Amino acid sequence: MKKIDEGWHSEIFLTENGTIIKKFKGKIYKNYEKEKYFLNLLSNYGFVPRIISHNE
């Protein structure tokens, strides 16, 4: 797994099979919840990344 980017709230990793993993830093649970909500809300439009799985 290779770290490809980092922001204020999260780090982005690329796995060997091409899957992207976003790991939220520290106790940023509210940002995680908002992003999960909006990705699910917009998922039917075809331009939003699909959530494969998540851990809380």
Side-chain angles (χ1 to χ4, degrees):
M1 187 162 59
K2 178 183 173 187
K3 184 176 179 179
I4 57 173
D5 203 1
E6 181 174 355
W8 286 50
H9 301 133
S10 63
E11 299 172 310
I12 309 294
F13 297 92
L14 178 64
T15 65
E16 293 79 19
N17 67 355
T19 302
I20 300 289
I21 296 175
K22 184 170 187 177
K23 180 180 178 188
F24 284 89
K25 296 177 182 177
K27 298 181 179 182
I28 314 276
Y29 186 75
K30 192 165 194 107
N31 287 13
Y32 161 73
E33 284 295 317
K34 276 198 304 188
E35 185 163 335
K36 188 173 76 168
Y37 171 78
F38 283 108
L39 286 175
N40 282 321
L41 184 69
L42 298 171
S43 65
N44 293 330
Y45 293 99
F47 63 88
V48 178
R50 184 171 56 102
I51 297 175
I52 297 172
S53 68
H54 59 85
N55 296 332
E56 298 187 23

